[in-house]
Amino acid sequence: MQILLLLTIILALLPTFPIGLVTDGRWSVVCTAATVAALFLVAWMAGKLFAHLWNRTWYLRGLRCYRLVRAGLFVGVVLVEFISLILLSWGYVVRRVWGLGTWILLDEILLLSPLMLSLVAVWWGLYPAEKILHDSLRRRDSTPFWSRTGYVIFQARTHSAILILPMLLYVTVQEMGSQLDSALMEQFRQWLPFYYFTGISVLAVLVVLLILPWMLVRIWQTESLPQGELRDLLESTARRLGFRYTDFRVWHTQNNIANALVTGILPWPRYVVFSDSLLQALSSYELVAVLGHEIGHVRRWHLPLYVGLCMLAAVSGVQLLSLRWPGLEPYLVALLYRLPSDLADWRQWLHLAFSMTVLWGYIWLIFGYVSRHCEREADVYGCLAASCGNAQCSDHRENRSLAKSGDSLCPTGIRIFISALEKVADINGLPRTQWSWRHGSIARRIAYLEKLQRRVAQGCRWPRWLWLPSWTTLILLALSVGGLSYLGISVF
């Protein structure tokens, strides 16, 4: 969802827009507001319908249908943004009719307002169904669900923490590019685009990687894990596995989300975040296994892998698109740095929008494939964190010393991590077979670990070659970029 929203934001901040069906500024405002209101009406009706259905039955009928409707509404959010910008001339009105193209941030906020209002409308409309869904799935605690306003604010915080910094940096790069003198661009057109734009882009990525962890733990309103036995256990696990970090944080979700994550490529700032429901539902050994899973992402270099993979996939995708659409690069430069272009032409704009969608799908497929393999590798590392290294171990009741980094697995450690996965699925109300593009399904992950458990009992210390699919994909992308550049197909 976040990647789709980021793509929408990039396309919504184009330097120029074609003239749509409505050219008058006042009518464009009215029609845009009516489009957002129509989406709100659909979301409100869906929320009421499913809440009414679930109130009359003791089980959640049509849960899969509801999830499809909810996903469709978020696709509708994207469609509302593009309908407003293009058909209703909202982009043309903001940038040309009102002449706000030179105003720093004001034009960007107005261009994105249909998207932001549509998101709020969907969250607000679906609230009754989400509340009953929470009450049905959270059976073990009496934590009340948010109020309607609190729910919308929580969703806004959750999404903005991930999107706001990349969006601000993108806008900053656009503003800097738009201030370049056109004569200077013409004079240095042979070398300035590559060195200037590449330098700014790399710097922007580095700033995001350094600042995003710090911003995320504050926008999500996390707090440091209190001192006590649990924190001592997690700290000793981090030392045992050679993991450096800034802090362990608790994410307060009113026991509505069971999740954990690690933020930060560098040891500082790097935070390990546990949601409140995860800390409440899992045993100490299971939390050690979850921490081991997050440490596995760091120790196996998954975070730098993800960054390099996305950058190489983006460059490779642009090169492949250039084979089908020669001359694409100037429009991408105009997109990224708000330079003069002829994107006001309908054909060129649709070409660019379609190409960006194809590029997003290309990155989505590659990243999803690699991410699922990395999750499997991190799962095994989570099993290692809860293992004692004895292949014949039946339990950990004897207070065995757990394995150090690089030691072997034990059947009990694998069972502990499987139990943690099952509890996370139950708390979040996820069917075991539900597939995720980044994680796969819980059922497939558990099936692999059960197979690994049998292999460990037969003497297997550690599964080899888990890293091979992910890093092979990265190498193939690098070779693809290098080969296409050698043939004269470059980004700039």
Side-chain angles (χ1 to χ4, degrees), residues 347-376:
R347 181 179 299 179
Q348 299 292 344
W349 197 95
L350 291 176
H351 245 133
L352 179 61
F354 176 76
S355 298
M356 289 295 295
T357 304
V358 172
L359 179 62
W360 170 79
Y362 177 74
I363 298 173
W364 184 86
L365 287 173
I366 294 176
F367 186 85
Y369 170 78
V370 171
S371 177
R372 291 190 295 274
H373 282 280
C374 289
E375 286 299 317
R376 175 169 291 183

